[in-house]
Amino acid sequence: LKSDYKAAEVAYGLSLQIKADGSAAYLGLADALMMQNRVEESLQTLRAGIKLKPGAELHTALGNSLFSRGDYVGAASAFESAVTAGKGNPDDYLAWAKLGDTMSWLPGKSDVAKTAYSRARNLLQPRMKNNPDDADLLSRMGLYTAKLGENAEAFMYIQKSLELAPNSAEVQFRAGVSLEMIDMRAP
């Protein structure tokens, strides 16, 4: 099947005419535009959606788009909104981790990055209690812990995630990044 992004663009546009504050339609339209390499229009779409109905999903999508373009200041602002009560979801561990990633690219923001990773880790802990053998959660916990400089604990999470899902590309990727961060590069 070949994706028809132009048709998707039209469909999402019609959806927004019917319900102008539908965040899912803004997300879909932004994605369809991005897939057509219409980056500025995609960003404008996300900003228009945020203006009408601010929410975590739209702020996160805007942050992801800006981050991928190297606009770390803009991305940081979007991710901060994504985790702020009233604008976003302060209980979203993934958004906190993205905020940490973004802040780590900005000069003088390493303390803010660590605070964000710490918050992400704290929010992830109850999920792990309920799913102690979830390799995805374990690998994320290993990554966030590595970014906080707690090497021994990070290694424990990484090792367990690899035992549970040795063939998962996402787990392998997070393990690689984590091991690099704790200076345990595999030979």
Side-chain angles (χ1 to χ4, degrees):
L1 283 174
K2 185 179 176 194
S3 298
D4 188 349
Y5 298 114
K6 189 67 182 162
E9 176 187 348
V10 170
Y12 285 120
L14 290 171
S15 177
L16 287 171
Q17 287 178 9
I18 294 167
K19 186 176 183 208
D21 66 347
S23 60
Y26 283 102
L27 291 168
L29 178 56
D31 284 343
L33 292 167
M34 188 66 77
M35 296 307 291
Q36 296 175 72
N37 291 321
R38 293 163 58 194
V39 177
E40 287 305 318
E41 289 174 81
S42 176
L43 293 171
Q44 288 172 359
T45 298
L46 292 170
R47 288 181 176 121
I50 289 169
K51 200 175 218 180
L52 281 176
K53 187 176 180 183
E57 287 180 330
L58 289 170
H59 285 292
T60 298
L62 180 61
N64 287 334
S65 293
L66 294 170
F67 187 92
S68 70
R69 294 184 64 189
D71 180 356
Y72 303 122
V73 172
S77 177
F79 288 130
E80 284 174 331
S81 293
V83 297
T84 300
K87 292 181 183 180
N89 178 2
D91 295 326
D92 183 352
Y93 71 89
L94 291 172
W96 280 103
K98 289 176 187 229
L99 176 60
D101 291 341
T102 305
M103 289 299 186
S104 69
W105 282 89
L106 297 174
K109 297 293 183 181
S110 62
D111 287 346
V112 178
K114 285 193 179 227
T115 299
Y117 289 129
S118 181
R119 180 80 172 134
R121 189 173 65 168
N122 291 342
L123 289 166
L124 188 56
Q125 285 173 337
R127 290 176 186 256
M128 286 187 51
K129 234 180 226 184
N130 294 332
N131 302 292
D133 292 327
D134 185 315
D136 181 65
L137 296 178
L138 286 162
S139 69
R140 288 180 188 282
M141 184 63 88
L143 180 60
Y144 305 160
T145 303
K147 290 184 179 206
L148 289 167
E150 298 173 17
N151 298 2
E153 187 179 351
F155 185 72
M156 178 194 69
Y157 288 121
I158 295 161
Q159 197 170 29
K160 187 169 181 186
S161 71
L162 289 169
E163 288 169 7
L164 291 168
N167 298 319
S168 167
E170 290 182 356
V171 169
Q172 288 283 335
F173 174 76
R174 285 188 206 105
V177 172
S178 300
L179 291 170
E180 183 70 22
M181 294 194 76
I182 64 174
D183 293 326
M184 293 188 72
R185 183 183 291 179

